Amino acid sequence: MRYVISDTHFGHDNIKIYEPIRQQYGDEHLIALWNSVVSPQDEVLHLGDFAFKSYGWDMIKQLNGKVTLLKGNHDIKKEKKALYELGFVRIIDSIEIELPHHAKIMHTLKQRFSKETLHHVICLVQEIQGKKILFSHYPPFYDDPYDTKQEVLETKEVLRAVFDATKCDVCYHGHIHSKKSSDPRCINVSVEHTAFQPVLLG
């Protein structure tokens, strides 16, 4: 079985101030809910912001499943080596397109965007049960008044270009927590939208 989730924010007590719905969901509760649906042999794709403080990263050792981390804005400074040592089975920290003609698609993106801009973008494109899916931390089709930094705006522009170039059907994302995009192509899998546990893909 394969699952997806985002924005667990392990070790981040203050998240409850910004997301009141999380008042009853401490780290131990999140771990219990995760392990209630995920078995050790399952795969879990985490779409970023796994942990907020250093001790939060140790929670990976208590979670069932083989966890891939697609880095979010709070994970970006954590080095790959350290993440693998903690127990993650795969780290995604760039644009990864697992489709035929991926090289041609990347060539098109490199013609349109600068190397520096593309360097900041993290996403994964896969085809699952006949649907092409863009996995990213940021929602490409959502105007967030709190994300006005140029780097974030450029990242979303690239994500939209990847979505179009790969002819994706939907985008699974996190980052905006309890908020939600009105665009039906965006599926928010932040824990606030998944009953605080990973949801089945496919």
Side-chain angles (χ1 to χ4, degrees), residues 55-70:
Y55 66 87
W57 289 101
D58 288 330
M59 304 301 172
I60 185 64
K61 300 172 184 176
Q62 301 180 50
L63 298 173
N64 286 343
K66 301 167 186 176
V67 185
T68 292
L69 176 66
L70 186 153

Side-chain angles (χ1 to χ4, degrees), residues 1-50:
M1 306 290 278
R2 192 172 182 214
Y3 295 85
V4 64
I5 193 171
S6 188
D7 294 271
T8 44
H9 279 249
F10 288 115
H12 189 186
D13 290 335
N14 283 345
I15 191 68
K16 297 174 184 178
I17 297 173
Y18 307 106
E19 293 290 342
I21 192 175
R22 297 180 70 129
Q23 288 293 337
Q24 300 176 21
Y25 294 91
D27 289 345
E28 295 304 318
H29 197 175
L30 285 174
I31 292 168
L33 287 169
W34 178 302
N35 291 340
S36 71
V37 297
V38 178
S39 65
Q41 67 269 22
D42 290 332
E43 297 179 8
V44 182
L45 176 57
H46 195 295
L47 300 185
D49 289 4
F50 179 87

Side-chain angles (χ1 to χ4, degrees), residues 17 24 36 38-39 56 93 99 102 111 113 123 129 141 146 150 166 179 187:
I17 297 173
Q24 300 176 21
S36 71
V38 178
S39 65
D93 60 359
L99 297 175
H102 60 89
Q111 288 184 315
F113 301 100
C123 66
Q129 296 183 356
F141 307 109
Y146 299 103
Q150 188 62 28
T166 56
K179 297 189 287 293
I187 300 174

Side-chain angles (χ1 to χ4, degrees), residues 84-101:
Y84 282 124
E85 287 174 351
L86 283 167
F88 291 94
V89 300
R90 182 182 178 188
I91 308 300
I92 299 171
D93 60 359
S94 61
I95 299 173
E96 297 196 18
I97 300 173
E98 298 180 355
L99 297 175
H101 311 301

Side-chain angles (χ1 to χ4, degrees), residues 54 106 114:
S54 57
M106 285 304 304
S114 70

